[in-house]
Amino acid sequence: MVSGVDLAGLLPAVIEIAHRAAGAILEVYDGEFTVEHKDDRSPLTAADRAAHGVIVAALEALTPQWPVLSEESVAIPYAQRRAWQRYWLVDPLDGTREFVKRNGEFTVNIALIDAGRPVLGVVQVPVRGEVYAAAEGAGAYHVSATGERRALHVSTYRGGPLRVVASRSHASPELAQLLDALPGHRIVSIGSSLKICLVAAGEADFYPRHGPTSEWDTAAAQCVLEQAGGQLTDFGLQPLRYNKESLLNVPFLAFGAGERPWQAALENG
């Protein structure tokens, strides 16, 4: 638990901030937009910038005592970040490639990190108007566009075809090799942090990620998955940690409960 913070009570305000950011994104999405590229060749649009502005201003007003680290922030040196016990970690528009393709599979990710762990997470899906949300000790839930709320629980795998989540835009040779070593399985493809949310919702069993991701890509969804009874770990099965010197994640796994037929394939890979 996080001392002195009502995480469950904080969630509605954060969800509202994510909805406002989604509105700013959709204003761009519904019109014409240009695509720029950052130094790492990842795409950037006016929607990324608009959502960043909405979220950062709102979080700074909500909790001025906690810093905000956003993908679209000016780089903050580790010498400064390393002193942060608690801070907001934000991806204003996760899945910009999916945004550019206009397939709707992009999200707004807002997480609260405490002592290197995500203890509150909101993943908002602008095109669908739905939200995945969680807070440590309060469980995880999904809210539909009509306001219907349901608790999230991972599935318990007991055999049969393994439902494996794969990226729409980031296939890799390592993934192909792992899939070849698995028993019977079927692929579920989707973009952005929705891949982790599918596991949290019990709609998939396993999501291996070999390719590069950053801390803001996973933190909010990791909280949702963990509070739904699942795990997001490195290949050594240790939970991902945050506010490292490098903001890049190591390769990771997201999985639910029950048997792990993929573990032998990993160990022998």
Side-chain angles (χ1 to χ4, degrees), residues 1-11 63 65-66 84-88 111-121 134-138 223 226-227 241:
M1 299 295 290
V2 178
S3 175
V5 181
D6 179 7
L7 294 174
L10 197 56
L11 260 182
T63 54
Q65 71 275 31
W66 300 337
W84 293 356
Q85 166 71 21
R86 188 174 299 151
Y87 69 100
W88 295 104
L112 180 64
I113 307 298
D114 184 81
R117 300 178 302 111
V119 296
L120 179 152
E136 188 174 90
C223 183
E226 289 177 345
Q227 294 305 308
R241 302 286 292 183

Side-chain angles (χ1 to χ4, degrees), residues 3-189:
S3 175
V5 181
D6 179 7
L7 294 174
L10 197 56
L11 260 182
V14 181
I15 291 171
E16 174 58 26
I17 291 169
H19 278 306
R20 287 163 51 195
I25 289 170
L26 292 176
E27 286 184 13
V28 178
Y29 188 69
D30 292 338
E32 297 297 323
F33 57 84
T34 59
V35 181
E36 303 171 30
H37 288 86
K38 305 177 191 177
D39 292 342
D40 64 0
R41 302 305 299 160
S42 60
L44 176 69
T45 70
D48 298 81
R49 294 192 181 97
H52 166 82
V54 168
I55 294 169
V56 172
L59 289 177
E60 288 177 345
L62 178 68
T63 54
Q65 71 275 31
W66 300 337
V68 181
L69 177 62
S70 166
E71 179 179 10
E72 308 310 333
S73 297
V74 174
I76 300 173
Y78 182 61
Q80 178 180 344
R81 289 190 290 108
R82 68 189 303 173
W84 293 356
Q85 166 71 21
R86 188 174 299 151
Y87 69 100
W88 295 104
L89 181 58
V90 174
D91 192 341
L93 202 172
D94 180 33
T96 303
R97 288 182 174 86
E98 315 308 328
F99 177 91
V100 172
K101 294 175 186 176
R102 296 184 187 271
N103 66 15
E105 295 175 357
F106 52 88
T107 61
V108 174
N109 301 341
I110 304 175
L112 180 64
I113 307 298
D114 184 81
R117 300 178 302 111
V119 296
L120 179 152
V122 171
V123 177
Q124 207 275 357
V125 193
V127 168
R128 302 180 190 176
E130 61 185 357
V131 172
Y132 297 85
E136 188 174 90
Y141 58 90
H142 172 270
V143 183
S144 71
T146 59
E148 181 181 358
R149 174 169 163 166
R150 64 182 174 89
L152 293 177
H153 303 284
V154 297
S155 61
T156 301
Y157 180 76
R158 296 189 175 92
L162 187 73
R163 298 168 298 170
V164 182
V165 185
S167 173
R168 279 257 195 256
S169 302
H170 300 280
S172 68
E174 294 88 352
L175 174 61
Q177 182 178 353
L178 174 59
L179 294 178
D180 286 344
L182 288 177
H185 63 274
R186 63 182 179 89
I187 299 296
V188 182
S189 292

